[in-house]
Amino acid sequence: MSTTQSERLRALLEPLVSSQGLDLEEIEVDSVGRKRVLRVVVDSDTGADLDRIADVSRALSAKLDETDAMGEGEYTLEVGTPGAERLLKEHRHYVRAVDRLVKFELAEGGELVARILKVDDDGLDLEVPGVKGCKATSRRLAFPEIEKARVQVEFNRKDKKEEEA
């Protein structure tokens, strides 16, 4: 059984990322002209600030320098966090998206935009925003009903702390 470069890199780098208190979310190797770019996406339940990103970036760079995992050619290492409109794939992604607005593509067809209120092992409790003056409604969505889910950017959302004040 052959393993891809991404799988070998994941096996090499995941323990190092975990030791920094982060989850290794994605590894991607792209060719840009003659150079290669290794993109590593990390995250945690509490997020990853710039200092943590810098620390893990230095640790990954040192580890890659002491191995031949990227081969002989030049490459650029980019370490970052998932984007604002991240795709939710793992259970932990849904947990981290509690209180966020998410666009769901449903397995049965159609789309649903709702706020995640609670996540358990079987699925999600959602609040579906009301339309044109109607009140929001509650809905339960089981994981098998979800084809794809992506966090939505909200520019004018009130923070919970502001609402409680």
Side-chain angles (χ1 to χ4, degrees):
M1 175 169 91
S2 73
T3 58
T4 65
Q5 183 180 25
S6 291
E7 290 169 337
R8 289 191 305 273
L9 286 167
R10 180 172 285 279
L12 176 70
L13 303 179
E14 194 157 28
L16 189 56
V17 171
S18 294
S19 74
Q20 302 277 328
L22 298 167
D23 295 316
L24 179 58
E25 298 292 352
E26 293 177 37
I27 291 181
E28 182 180 326
V29 181
D30 282 331
S31 294
V32 180
R34 291 186 176 170
K35 285 191 174 184
R36 290 173 300 146
V37 177
L38 170 59
R39 290 186 185 88
V40 178
V41 178
V42 298
D43 201 7
S44 79
D45 290 343
T46 58
D49 62 20
L50 288 176
D51 291 334
R52 288 179 83 185
I53 297 293
D55 290 345
V56 78
S57 182
R58 283 190 289 275
L60 294 177
S61 180
K63 185 68 161 180
L64 290 165
D65 287 348
E66 69 186 40
T67 69
D68 66 346
M70 286 299 292
E72 296 296 316
E74 275 188 52
Y75 69 93
T76 301
L77 172 63
E78 294 179 0
V79 180
T81 58
E85 292 187 355
R86 76 173 303 163
L87 192 60
L88 305 178
K89 297 178 184 177
E90 306 283 335
H91 186 271
R92 68 177 179 262
H93 299 163
Y94 289 96
V95 171
R96 291 174 186 161
V98 167
D99 294 326
R100 301 287 307 271
L101 197 63
V102 175
K103 181 178 183 180
F104 298 94
E105 290 183 25
L106 304 176
E108 65 189 28
E111 294 180 345
L112 171 69
V113 176
R115 189 169 310 282
I116 297 176
L117 300 177
K118 183 181 171 189
V119 179
D120 59 35
D121 292 340
D122 300 317
L124 314 168
D125 289 338
L126 306 172
E127 178 184 73
V128 181
V131 180
K132 296 185 180 180
C134 293
K135 289 186 177 184
T137 57
S138 297
R139 178 164 177 186
R140 176 79 181 164
L141 197 58
F143 287 117
E145 295 177 83
I146 303 168
E147 185 71 31
K148 213 184 239 185
R150 186 178 300 277
V151 172
Q152 300 297 287
V153 174
E154 296 179 83
F155 293 107
N156 58 355
R157 179 170 177 224
K158 290 184 182 178
D159 191 6
K160 273 188 156 183
K161 292 174 188 172
E162 290 176 20
E163 292 174 3
E164 293 170 0

